[in-house]
Amino acid sequence: MTTYDEIFENNRKWIETHNATGPEFLARLAGDQRPDYLYIGCSDSRVTAEELMGVAPGEVFVHRNIANLVNNIDLNAMSVIEYAVQHLGVKHIVVCGHYGCGGVKAAMQAQDLGIMNPWLRNIRDVYRLHHQELDAIEDTTARYDRLVELNVQEQCVNVIKTAVVQQRYLQHGYPTVHGWVFDLKTGLLKDLKLSFEDILHGIQQIYNLGDKSMFDTKETPAQEIGSKAVAE
């Protein structure tokens, strides 16, 4: 394990290494950030965004919490999404879970976990939404792995529900939202290949927060009723 003092020595070595490759590194680092990616991941110490993505400092904006949740009343997560989309102009938003997630496993235990109860209830809600599929999986490990994937999927839906994502996409054609899972055993990232546009289109009738439809100009049932009333 790295000692406390070693961390600062490692920091000095990190500076020396980057200065050796080019003195402009720190100047670029001190400049404005313009990352193309917002990464929303788990706080697990084994899953670090920049390292598993192979990107340099300044290339990804990162938000992490237990079990990579996107809760609409979590001002931290909502502020990160607002800032990344509206002010940094990210092109991609990634929600990344990982197999063997302790938060997902804890959510499925029948025990009182204190202050963690309301947070983990979000994962239990994911189980409730997909319980028929999950209960049909006999192998416990496979069931947990599938819940990890479904949790990522539902958090992506929560991102797509936000006004700033919908409105920015309507105006500029980005950001798009992606769901990934990191496999600790193989080190590989798995793209769940969620269809951003299909999800967005599917939730529009209820969660549309843009000024108009993002896909067509067909009136909603409520608009059709209003139009008939005006005509009459």
Side-chain angles (χ1 to χ4, degrees), residues 100-137:
C101 179
V104 172
K105 288 185 176 181
M108 299 317 303
Q109 306 304 314
Q111 59 180 316
D112 184 356
L113 296 170
I115 192 65
M116 293 179 65
N117 285 335
W119 185 259
L120 297 179
R121 191 176 298 129
N122 293 280
I123 305 172
R124 293 189 173 109
D125 288 341
V126 174
Y127 198 116
R128 176 176 55 80
L129 290 172
H130 300 276
H131 71 92
Q132 290 183 332
E133 175 187 348
L134 291 165
D135 290 343
I137 302 174

PDB file of all heavy atoms in Angstrom, residues 100-137:
ATOM      1  N   GLY A 100     -19.516  -6.868  -9.933  1.00  0.00           N
ATOM      2  CA  GLY A 100     -19.022  -6.998  -8.565  1.00  0.00           C
ATOM      3  C   GLY A 100     -19.204  -5.735  -7.746  1.00  0.00           C
ATOM      4  O   GLY A 100     -18.530  -5.562  -6.725  1.00  0.00           O
ATOM      5  N   CYS A 101     -20.114  -4.866  -8.156  1.00  0.00           N
ATOM      6  CA  CYS A 101     -20.330  -3.597  -7.452  1.00  0.00           C
ATOM      7  C   CYS A 101     -20.909  -3.853  -6.054  1.00  0.00           C
ATOM      8  O   CYS A 101     -21.963  -4.478  -5.905  1.00  0.00           O
ATOM      9  CB  CYS A 101     -21.288  -2.723  -8.258  1.00  0.00           C
ATOM     10  SG  CYS A 101     -21.679  -1.136  -7.482  1.00  0.00           S
ATOM     11  N   GLY A 102     -20.208  -3.366  -5.039  1.00  0.00           N
ATOM     12  CA  GLY A 102     -20.659  -3.563  -3.663  1.00  0.00           C
ATOM     13  C   GLY A 102     -21.971  -2.878  -3.373  1.00  0.00           C
ATOM     14  O   GLY A 102     -22.781  -3.372  -2.587  1.00  0.00           O
ATOM     15  N   GLY A 103     -22.211  -1.716  -4.015  1.00  0.00           N
ATOM     16  CA  GLY A 103     -23.464  -1.002  -3.804  1.00  0.00           C
ATOM     17  C   GLY A 103     -24.651  -1.790  -4.312  1.00  0.00           C
ATOM     18  O   GLY A 103     -25.702  -1.859  -3.656  1.00  0.00           O
ATOM     19  N   VAL A 104     -24.499  -2.403  -5.482  1.00  0.00           N
ATOM     20  CA  VAL A 104     -25.583  -3.210  -6.042  1.00  0.00           C
ATOM     21  C   VAL A 104     -25.845  -4.425  -5.168  1.00  0.00           C
ATOM     22  O   VAL A 104     -26.989  -4.768  -4.877  1.00  0.00           O
ATOM     23  CB  VAL A 104     -25.240  -3.637  -7.487  1.00  0.00           C
ATOM     24  CG1 VAL A 104     -26.269  -4.638  -8.006  1.00  0.00           C
ATOM     25  CG2 VAL A 104     -25.180  -2.420  -8.399  1.00  0.00           C
ATOM     26  N   LYS A 105     -24.788  -5.072  -4.709  1.00  0.00           N
ATOM     27  CA  LYS A 105     -24.958  -6.237  -3.856  1.00  0.00           C
ATOM     28  C   LYS A 105     -25.608  -5.864  -2.526  1.00  0.00           C
ATOM     29  O   LYS A 105     -26.489  -6.568  -2.025  1.00  0.00           O
ATOM     30  CB  LYS A 105     -23.615  -6.911  -3.610  1.00  0.00           C
ATOM     31  CG  LYS A 105     -23.068  -7.640  -4.830  1.00  0.00           C
ATOM     32  CD  LYS A 105     -21.800  -8.406  -4.504  1.00  0.00           C
ATOM     33  CE  LYS A 105     -21.322  -9.202  -5.703  1.00  0.00           C
ATOM     34  NZ  LYS A 105     -20.095  -9.979  -5.426  1.00  0.00           N
ATOM     35  N   ALA A 106     -25.170  -4.738  -1.959  1.00  0.00           N
ATOM     36  CA  ALA A 106     -25.729  -4.299  -0.676  1.00  0.00           C
ATOM     37  C   ALA A 106     -27.216  -3.983  -0.800  1.00  0.00           C
ATOM     38  O   ALA A 106     -27.994  -4.234   0.127  1.00  0.00           O
ATOM     39  CB  ALA A 106     -24.972  -3.068  -0.172  1.00  0.00           C
ATOM     40  N   ALA A 107     -27.609  -3.455  -1.949  1.00  0.00           N
ATOM     41  CA  ALA A 107     -29.013  -3.086  -2.152  1.00  0.00           C
ATOM     42  C   ALA A 107     -29.919  -4.309  -2.144  1.00  0.00           C
ATOM     43  O   ALA A 107     -31.113  -4.202  -1.862  1.00  0.00           O
ATOM     44  CB  ALA A 107     -29.173  -2.334  -3.469  1.00  0.00           C
ATOM     45  N   MET A 108     -29.357  -5.464  -2.439  1.00  0.00           N
ATOM     46  CA  MET A 108     -30.163  -6.671  -2.516  1.00  0.00           C
ATOM     47  C   MET A 108     -30.152  -7.482  -1.224  1.00  0.00           C
ATOM     48  O   MET A 108     -30.731  -8.568  -1.162  1.00  0.00           O
ATOM     49  CB  MET A 108     -29.679  -7.554  -3.672  1.00  0.00           C
ATOM     50  CG  MET A 108     -29.786  -6.870  -5.031  1.00  0.00           C
ATOM     51  SD  MET A 108     -31.357  -5.979  -5.245  1.00  0.00           S
ATOM     52  CE  MET A 108     -32.538  -7.284  -4.970  1.00  0.00           C
ATOM     53  N   GLN A 109     -29.513  -6.954  -0.198  1.00  0.00           N
ATOM     54  CA  GLN A 109     -29.489  -7.644   1.096  1.00  0.00           C
ATOM     55  C   GLN A 109     -30.676  -7.202   1.946  1.00  0.00           C
ATOM     56  O   GLN A 109     -30.994  -6.007   2.003  1.00  0.00           O
ATOM     57  CB  GLN A 109     -28.183  -7.348   1.838  1.00  0.00           C
ATOM     58  CG  GLN A 109     -26.936  -7.642   1.034  1.00  0.00           C
ATOM     59  CD  GLN A 109     -26.873  -9.065   0.530  1.00  0.00           C
ATOM     60  OE1 GLN A 109     -27.130 -10.011   1.264  1.00  0.00           O
ATOM     61  NE2 GLN A 109     -26.524  -9.225  -0.743  1.00  0.00           N
ATOM     62  N   ALA A 110     -31.312  -8.141   2.603  1.00  0.00           N
ATOM     63  CA  ALA A 110     -32.462  -7.827   3.456  1.00  0.00           C
ATOM     64  C   ALA A 110     -31.965  -7.408   4.838  1.00  0.00           C
ATOM     65  O   ALA A 110     -32.081  -8.147   5.822  1.00  0.00           O
ATOM     66  CB  ALA A 110     -33.387  -9.032   3.554  1.00  0.00           C
ATOM     67  N   GLN A 111     -31.390  -6.220   4.889  1.00  0.00           N
ATOM     68  CA  GLN A 111     -30.895  -5.720   6.171  1.00  0.00           C
ATOM     69  C   GLN A 111     -30.914  -4.199   6.187  1.00  0.00           C
ATOM     70  O   GLN A 111     -30.912  -3.549   5.129  1.00  0.00           O
ATOM     71  CB  GLN A 111     -29.475  -6.215   6.423  1.00  0.00           C
ATOM     72  CG  GLN A 111     -28.459  -5.816   5.370  1.00  0.00           C
ATOM     73  CD  GLN A 111     -27.063  -6.329   5.682  1.00  0.00           C
ATOM     74  OE1 GLN A 111     -26.600  -6.242   6.814  1.00  0.00           O
ATOM     75  NE2 GLN A 111     -26.392  -6.864   4.682  1.00  0.00           N
ATOM     76  N   ASP A 112     -30.964  -3.656   7.393  1.00  0.00           N
ATOM     77  CA  ASP A 112     -30.978  -2.209   7.582  1.00  0.00           C
ATOM     78  C   ASP A 112     -29.546  -1.692   7.439  1.00  0.00           C
ATOM     79  O   ASP A 112     -28.653  -2.074   8.189  1.00  0.00           O
ATOM     80  CB  ASP A 112     -31.530  -1.879   8.972  1.00  0.00           C
ATOM     81  CG  ASP A 112     -31.658  -0.378   9.213  1.00  0.00           C
ATOM     82  OD1 ASP A 112     -31.257   0.408   8.332  1.00  0.00           O
ATOM     83  OD2 ASP A 112     -32.160  -0.004  10.279  1.00  0.00           O
ATOM     84  N   LEU A 113     -29.336  -0.816   6.469  1.00  0.00           N
ATOM     85  CA  LEU A 113     -28.004  -0.275   6.214  1.00  0.00           C
ATOM     86  C   LEU A 113     -27.894   1.197   6.620  1.00  0.00           C
ATOM     87  O   LEU A 113     -27.036   1.924   6.128  1.00  0.00           O
ATOM     88  CB  LEU A 113     -27.651  -0.452   4.736  1.00  0.00           C
ATOM     89  CG  LEU A 113     -27.537  -1.924   4.290  1.00  0.00           C
ATOM     90  CD1 LEU A 113     -27.422  -2.012   2.775  1.00  0.00           C
ATOM     91  CD2 LEU A 113     -26.355  -2.601   4.957  1.00  0.00           C
ATOM     92  N   GLY A 114     -28.778   1.616   7.497  1.00  0.00           N
ATOM     93  CA  GLY A 114     -28.696   2.963   8.058  1.00  0.00           C
ATOM     94  C   GLY A 114     -28.881   4.060   7.026  1.00  0.00           C
ATOM     95  O   GLY A 114     -29.805   4.020   6.210  1.00  0.00           O
ATOM     96  N   ILE A 115     -27.981   5.034   7.039  1.00  0.00           N
ATOM     97  CA  ILE A 115     -28.101   6.209   6.168  1.00  0.00           C
ATOM     98  C   ILE A 115     -28.030   5.836   4.700  1.00  0.00           C
ATOM     99  O   ILE A 115     -28.474   6.591   3.825  1.00  0.00           O
ATOM    100  CB  ILE A 115     -26.982   7.235   6.501  1.00  0.00           C
ATOM    101  CG1 ILE A 115     -27.262   8.584   5.828  1.00  0.00           C
ATOM    102  CG2 ILE A 115     -25.619   6.691   6.106  1.00  0.00           C
ATOM    103  CD1 ILE A 115     -28.499   9.281   6.324  1.00  0.00           C
ATOM    104  N   MET A 116     -27.514   4.627   4.401  1.00  0.00           N
ATOM    105  CA  MET A 116     -27.417   4.185   3.009  1.00  0.00           C
ATOM    106  C   MET A 116     -28.751   3.690   2.457  1.00  0.00           C
ATOM    107  O   MET A 116     -28.893   3.536   1.233  1.00  0.00           O
ATOM    108  CB  MET A 116     -26.370   3.078   2.874  1.00  0.00           C
ATOM    109  CG  MET A 116     -24.948   3.526   3.131  1.00  0.00           C
ATOM    110  SD  MET A 116     -23.773   2.154   2.971  1.00  0.00           S
ATOM    111  CE  MET A 116     -23.953   1.786   1.225  1.00  0.00           C
ATOM    112  N   ASN A 117     -29.729   3.454   3.329  1.00  0.00           N
ATOM    113  CA  ASN A 117     -31.011   2.898   2.873  1.00  0.00           C
ATOM    114  C   ASN A 117     -31.660   3.707   1.749  1.00  0.00           C
ATOM    115  O   ASN A 117     -32.017   3.145   0.712  1.00  0.00           O
ATOM    116  CB  ASN A 117     -31.984   2.770   4.048  1.00  0.00           C
ATOM    117  CG  ASN A 117     -31.636   1.608   4.963  1.00  0.00           C
ATOM    118  OD1 ASN A 117     -31.000   0.649   4.544  1.00  0.00           O
ATOM    119  ND2 ASN A 117     -32.045   1.703   6.216  1.00  0.00           N
ATOM    120  N   PRO A 118     -31.870   5.031   1.904  1.00  0.00           N
ATOM    121  CA  PRO A 118     -32.550   5.773   0.836  1.00  0.00           C
ATOM    122  C   PRO A 118     -31.751   5.824  -0.459  1.00  0.00           C
ATOM    123  O   PRO A 118     -32.333   5.879  -1.543  1.00  0.00           O
ATOM    124  CB  PRO A 118     -32.748   7.175   1.445  1.00  0.00           C
ATOM    125  CG  PRO A 118     -31.765   7.265   2.555  1.00  0.00           C
ATOM    126  CD  PRO A 118     -31.610   5.878   3.081  1.00  0.00           C
ATOM    127  N   TRP A 119     -30.425   5.806  -0.342  1.00  0.00           N
ATOM    128  CA  TRP A 119     -29.592   5.834  -1.553  1.00  0.00           C
ATOM    129  C   TRP A 119     -29.712   4.510  -2.318  1.00  0.00           C
ATOM    130  O   TRP A 119     -29.953   4.500  -3.531  1.00  0.00           O
ATOM    131  CB  TRP A 119     -28.138   6.101  -1.177  1.00  0.00           C
ATOM    132  CG  TRP A 119     -27.235   6.275  -2.366  1.00  0.00           C
ATOM    133  CD1 TRP A 119     -26.390   5.361  -2.903  1.00  0.00           C
ATOM    134  CD2 TRP A 119     -27.106   7.457  -3.170  1.00  0.00           C
ATOM    135  NE1 TRP A 119     -25.735   5.888  -3.995  1.00  0.00           N
ATOM    136  CE2 TRP A 119     -26.163   7.173  -4.176  1.00  0.00           C
ATOM    137  CE3 TRP A 119     -27.703   8.721  -3.129  1.00  0.00           C
ATOM    138  CZ2 TRP A 119     -25.794   8.111  -5.152  1.00  0.00           C
ATOM    139  CZ3 TRP A 119     -27.334   9.645  -4.095  1.00  0.00           C
ATOM    140  CH2 TRP A 119     -26.396   9.347  -5.084  1.00  0.00           C
ATOM    141  N   LEU A 120     -29.567   3.404  -1.586  1.00  0.00           N
ATOM    142  CA  LEU A 120     -29.612   2.094  -2.226  1.00  0.00           C
ATOM    143  C   LEU A 120     -31.014   1.714  -2.661  1.00  0.00           C
ATOM    144  O   LEU A 120     -31.188   0.808  -3.480  1.00  0.00           O
ATOM    145  CB  LEU A 120     -29.048   1.036  -1.277  1.00  0.00           C
ATOM    146  CG  LEU A 120     -27.569   1.218  -0.900  1.00  0.00           C
ATOM    147  CD1 LEU A 120     -27.134   0.123   0.064  1.00  0.00           C
ATOM    148  CD2 LEU A 120     -26.675   1.218  -2.130  1.00  0.00           C
ATOM    149  N   ARG A 121     -32.013   2.404  -2.137  1.00  0.00           N
ATOM    150  CA  ARG A 121     -33.381   2.128  -2.568  1.00  0.00           C
ATOM    151  C   ARG A 121     -33.556   2.389  -4.061  1.00  0.00           C
ATOM    152  O   ARG A 121     -34.399   1.773  -4.731  1.00  0.00           O
ATOM    153  CB  ARG A 121     -34.375   2.978  -1.766  1.00  0.00           C
ATOM    154  CG  ARG A 121     -35.839   2.562  -1.976  1.00  0.00           C
ATOM    155  CD  ARG A 121     -36.760   3.386  -1.081  1.00  0.00           C
ATOM    156  NE  ARG A 121     -36.449   3.157   0.324  1.00  0.00           N
ATOM    157  CZ  ARG A 121     -36.231   4.131   1.211  1.00  0.00           C
ATOM    158  NH1 ARG A 121     -36.287   5.393   0.825  1.00  0.00           N
ATOM    159  NH2 ARG A 121     -35.959   3.843   2.469  1.00  0.00           N
ATOM    160  N   ASN A 122     -32.751   3.287  -4.602  1.00  0.00           N
ATOM    161  CA  ASN A 122     -32.805   3.539  -6.041  1.00  0.00           C
ATOM    162  C   ASN A 122     -32.472   2.282  -6.839  1.00  0.00           C
ATOM    163  O   ASN A 122     -33.034   2.035  -7.913  1.00  0.00           O
ATOM    164  CB  ASN A 122     -31.827   4.657  -6.413  1.00  0.00           C
ATOM    165  CG  ASN A 122     -32.223   6.002  -5.853  1.00  0.00           C
ATOM    166  OD1 ASN A 122     -33.069   6.686  -6.391  1.00  0.00           O
ATOM    167  ND2 ASN A 122     -31.600   6.386  -4.742  1.00  0.00           N
ATOM    168  N   ILE A 123     -31.539   1.474  -6.325  1.00  0.00           N
ATOM    169  CA  ILE A 123     -31.184   0.227  -7.004  1.00  0.00           C
ATOM    170  C   ILE A 123     -32.280  -0.804  -6.799  1.00  0.00           C
ATOM    171  O   ILE A 123     -32.606  -1.578  -7.710  1.00  0.00           O
ATOM    172  CB  ILE A 123     -29.834  -0.302  -6.486  1.00  0.00           C
ATOM    173  CG1 ILE A 123     -28.755   0.769  -6.622  1.00  0.00           C
ATOM    174  CG2 ILE A 123     -29.424  -1.558  -7.251  1.00  0.00           C
ATOM    175  CD1 ILE A 123     -27.438   0.417  -5.966  1.00  0.00           C
ATOM    176  N   ARG A 124     -32.869  -0.824  -5.615  1.00  0.00           N
ATOM    177  CA  ARG A 124     -33.985  -1.740  -5.386  1.00  0.00           C
ATOM    178  C   ARG A 124     -35.145  -1.406  -6.321  1.00  0.00           C
ATOM    179  O   ARG A 124     -35.873  -2.297  -6.778  1.00  0.00           O
ATOM    180  CB  ARG A 124     -34.429  -1.660  -3.923  1.00  0.00           C
ATOM    181  CG  ARG A 124     -33.379  -2.186  -2.945  1.00  0.00           C
ATOM    182  CD  ARG A 124     -33.920  -2.305  -1.529  1.00  0.00           C
ATOM    183  NE  ARG A 124     -32.953  -2.955  -0.664  1.00  0.00           N
ATOM    184  CZ  ARG A 124     -32.259  -2.337   0.289  1.00  0.00           C
ATOM    185  NH1 ARG A 124     -32.440  -1.040   0.502  1.00  0.00           N
ATOM    186  NH2 ARG A 124     -31.386  -2.993   1.026  1.00  0.00           N
ATOM    187  N   ASP A 125     -35.318  -0.124  -6.620  1.00  0.00           N
ATOM    188  CA  ASP A 125     -36.357   0.273  -7.574  1.00  0.00           C
ATOM    189  C   ASP A 125     -36.062  -0.271  -8.966  1.00  0.00           C
ATOM    190  O   ASP A 125     -36.979  -0.639  -9.708  1.00  0.00           O
ATOM    191  CB  ASP A 125     -36.476   1.800  -7.627  1.00  0.00           C
ATOM    192  CG  ASP A 125     -37.119   2.375  -6.379  1.00  0.00           C
ATOM    193  OD1 ASP A 125     -37.792   1.625  -5.653  1.00  0.00           O
ATOM    194  OD2 ASP A 125     -36.933   3.591  -6.120  1.00  0.00           O
ATOM    195  N   VAL A 126     -34.780  -0.307  -9.333  1.00  0.00           N
ATOM    196  CA  VAL A 126     -34.392  -0.896 -10.620  1.00  0.00           C
ATOM    197  C   VAL A 126     -34.767  -2.377 -10.634  1.00  0.00           C
ATOM    198  O   VAL A 126     -35.293  -2.896 -11.628  1.00  0.00           O
ATOM    199  CB  VAL A 126     -32.877  -0.724 -10.881  1.00  0.00           C
ATOM    200  CG1 VAL A 126     -32.469  -1.476 -12.147  1.00  0.00           C
ATOM    201  CG2 VAL A 126     -32.527   0.755 -11.026  1.00  0.00           C
ATOM    202  N   TYR A 127     -34.489  -3.064  -9.517  1.00  0.00           N
ATOM    203  CA  TYR A 127     -34.871  -4.477  -9.412  1.00  0.00           C
ATOM    204  C   TYR A 127     -36.384  -4.637  -9.556  1.00  0.00           C
ATOM    205  O   TYR A 127     -36.861  -5.542 -10.258  1.00  0.00           O
ATOM    206  CB  TYR A 127     -34.397  -5.066  -8.082  1.00  0.00           C
ATOM    207  CG  TYR A 127     -34.355  -6.585  -8.074  1.00  0.00           C
ATOM    208  CD1 TYR A 127     -33.153  -7.261  -7.921  1.00  0.00           C
ATOM    209  CD2 TYR A 127     -35.522  -7.340  -8.221  1.00  0.00           C
ATOM    210  CE1 TYR A 127     -33.100  -8.646  -7.922  1.00  0.00           C
ATOM    211  CE2 TYR A 127     -35.481  -8.720  -8.219  1.00  0.00           C
ATOM    212  CZ  TYR A 127     -34.271  -9.370  -8.078  1.00  0.00           C
ATOM    213  OH  TYR A 127     -34.226 -10.738  -8.088  1.00  0.00           O
ATOM    214  N   ARG A 128     -37.133  -3.763  -8.907  1.00  0.00           N
ATOM    215  CA  ARG A 128     -38.599  -3.842  -8.979  1.00  0.00           C
ATOM    216  C   ARG A 128     -39.091  -3.693 -10.414  1.00  0.00           C
ATOM    217  O   ARG A 128     -39.993  -4.399 -10.856  1.00  0.00           O
ATOM    218  CB  ARG A 128     -39.219  -2.754  -8.090  1.00  0.00           C
ATOM    219  CG  ARG A 128     -40.738  -2.679  -8.162  1.00  0.00           C
ATOM    220  CD  ARG A 128     -41.279  -1.643  -7.192  1.00  0.00           C
ATOM    221  NE  ARG A 128     -40.687  -0.328  -7.404  1.00  0.00           N
ATOM    222  CZ  ARG A 128     -41.075   0.526  -8.355  1.00  0.00           C
ATOM    223  NH1 ARG A 128     -42.074   0.199  -9.184  1.00  0.00           N
ATOM    224  NH2 ARG A 128     -40.507   1.706  -8.468  1.00  0.00           N
ATOM    225  N   LEU A 129     -38.475  -2.793 -11.173  1.00  0.00           N
ATOM    226  CA  LEU A 129     -38.881  -2.561 -12.559  1.00  0.00           C
ATOM    227  C   LEU A 129     -38.598  -3.771 -13.445  1.00  0.00           C
ATOM    228  O   LEU A 129     -39.297  -4.006 -14.429  1.00  0.00           O
ATOM    229  CB  LEU A 129     -38.163  -1.330 -13.118  1.00  0.00           C
ATOM    230  CG  LEU A 129     -38.580   0.028 -12.566  1.00  0.00           C
ATOM    231  CD1 LEU A 129     -37.640   1.110 -13.073  1.00  0.00           C
ATOM    232  CD2 LEU A 129     -40.018   0.349 -12.953  1.00  0.00           C
ATOM    233  N   HIS A 130     -37.554  -4.523 -13.096  1.00  0.00           N
ATOM    234  CA  HIS A 130     -37.103  -5.618 -13.959  1.00  0.00           C
ATOM    235  C   HIS A 130     -37.124  -6.962 -13.232  1.00  0.00           C
ATOM    236  O   HIS A 130     -36.382  -7.868 -13.591  1.00  0.00           O
ATOM    237  CB  HIS A 130     -35.679  -5.319 -14.451  1.00  0.00           C
ATOM    238  CG  HIS A 130     -35.561  -4.050 -15.237  1.00  0.00           C
ATOM    239  ND1 HIS A 130     -35.838  -3.979 -16.592  1.00  0.00           N
ATOM    240  CD2 HIS A 130     -35.207  -2.793 -14.858  1.00  0.00           C
ATOM    241  CE1 HIS A 130     -35.645  -2.750 -17.020  1.00  0.00           C
ATOM    242  NE2 HIS A 130     -35.271  -2.001 -15.991  1.00  0.00           N
ATOM    243  N   HIS A 131     -37.977  -7.096 -12.218  1.00  0.00           N
ATOM    244  CA  HIS A 131     -37.908  -8.279 -11.351  1.00  0.00           C
ATOM    245  C   HIS A 131     -38.234  -9.564 -12.092  1.00  0.00           C
ATOM    246  O   HIS A 131     -37.685 -10.633 -11.759  1.00  0.00           O
ATOM    247  CB  HIS A 131     -38.825  -8.102 -10.133  1.00  0.00           C
ATOM    248  CG  HIS A 131     -40.292  -8.165 -10.453  1.00  0.00           C
ATOM    249  ND1 HIS A 131     -41.016  -9.329 -10.400  1.00  0.00           N
ATOM    250  CD2 HIS A 131     -41.163  -7.190 -10.837  1.00  0.00           C
ATOM    251  CE1 HIS A 131     -42.274  -9.074 -10.731  1.00  0.00           C
ATOM    252  NE2 HIS A 131     -42.387  -7.794 -11.005  1.00  0.00           N
ATOM    253  N   GLN A 132     -39.097  -9.519 -13.101  1.00  0.00           N
ATOM    254  CA  GLN A 132     -39.438 -10.747 -13.810  1.00  0.00           C
ATOM    255  C   GLN A 132     -38.227 -11.312 -14.542  1.00  0.00           C
ATOM    256  O   GLN A 132     -37.970 -12.522 -14.499  1.00  0.00           O
ATOM    257  CB  GLN A 132     -40.591 -10.491 -14.783  1.00  0.00           C
ATOM    258  CG  GLN A 132     -41.923 -10.234 -14.084  1.00  0.00           C
ATOM    259  CD  GLN A 132     -43.061 -10.064 -15.069  1.00  0.00           C
ATOM    260  OE1 GLN A 132     -42.862  -9.633 -16.205  1.00  0.00           O
ATOM    261  NE2 GLN A 132     -44.268 -10.386 -14.634  1.00  0.00           N
ATOM    262  N   GLU A 133     -37.489 -10.438 -15.220  1.00  0.00           N
ATOM    263  CA  GLU A 133     -36.272 -10.886 -15.910  1.00  0.00           C
ATOM    264  C   GLU A 133     -35.230 -11.381 -14.909  1.00  0.00           C
ATOM    265  O   GLU A 133     -34.622 -12.441 -15.102  1.00  0.00           O
ATOM    266  CB  GLU A 133     -35.688  -9.751 -16.753  1.00  0.00           C
ATOM    267  CG  GLU A 133     -34.359 -10.121 -17.401  1.00  0.00           C
ATOM    268  CD  GLU A 133     -33.689  -8.950 -18.113  1.00  0.00           C
ATOM    269  OE1 GLU A 133     -34.347  -7.900 -18.302  1.00  0.00           O
ATOM    270  OE2 GLU A 133     -32.505  -9.098 -18.480  1.00  0.00           O
ATOM    271  N   LEU A 134     -35.043 -10.621 -13.843  1.00  0.00           N
ATOM    272  CA  LEU A 134     -34.003 -10.966 -12.874  1.00  0.00           C
ATOM    273  C   LEU A 134     -34.330 -12.231 -12.103  1.00  0.00           C
ATOM    274  O   LEU A 134     -33.458 -13.076 -11.870  1.00  0.00           O
ATOM    275  CB  LEU A 134     -33.787  -9.786 -11.917  1.00  0.00           C
ATOM    276  CG  LEU A 134     -33.141  -8.553 -12.551  1.00  0.00           C
ATOM    277  CD1 LEU A 134     -33.298  -7.337 -11.639  1.00  0.00           C
ATOM    278  CD2 LEU A 134     -31.667  -8.806 -12.841  1.00  0.00           C
ATOM    279  N   ASP A 135     -35.571 -12.375 -11.687  1.00  0.00           N
ATOM    280  CA  ASP A 135     -35.957 -13.556 -10.916  1.00  0.00           C
ATOM    281  C   ASP A 135     -35.870 -14.838 -11.738  1.00  0.00           C
ATOM    282  O   ASP A 135     -35.784 -15.942 -11.185  1.00  0.00           O
ATOM    283  CB  ASP A 135     -37.379 -13.395 -10.360  1.00  0.00           C
ATOM    284  CG  ASP A 135     -37.451 -12.343  -9.266  1.00  0.00           C
ATOM    285  OD1 ASP A 135     -36.384 -11.980  -8.728  1.00  0.00           O
ATOM    286  OD2 ASP A 135     -38.568 -11.864  -8.968  1.00  0.00           O
ATOM    287  N   ALA A 136     -35.897 -14.695 -13.046  1.00  0.00           N
ATOM    288  CA  ALA A 136     -35.798 -15.866 -13.918  1.00  0.00           C
ATOM    289  C   ALA A 136     -34.359 -16.351 -14.058  1.00  0.00           C
ATOM    290  O   ALA A 136     -34.121 -17.445 -14.589  1.00  0.00           O
ATOM    291  CB  ALA A 136     -36.374 -15.544 -15.294  1.00  0.00           C
ATOM    292  N   ILE A 137     -33.390 -15.566 -13.588  1.00  0.00           N
ATOM    293  CA  ILE A 137     -31.975 -15.947 -13.650  1.00  0.00           C
ATOM    294  C   ILE A 137     -31.629 -16.721 -12.381  1.00  0.00           C
ATOM    295  O   ILE A 137     -31.602 -16.163 -11.288  1.00  0.00           O
ATOM    296  CB  ILE A 137     -31.075 -14.703 -13.786  1.00  0.00           C
ATOM    297  CG1 ILE A 137     -31.465 -13.906 -15.041  1.00  0.00           C
ATOM    298  CG2 ILE A 137     -29.602 -15.102 -13.849  1.00  0.00           C
ATOM    299  CD1 ILE A 137     -30.728 -12.576 -15.179  1.00  0.00           C
TER     300      ILE A 137
END
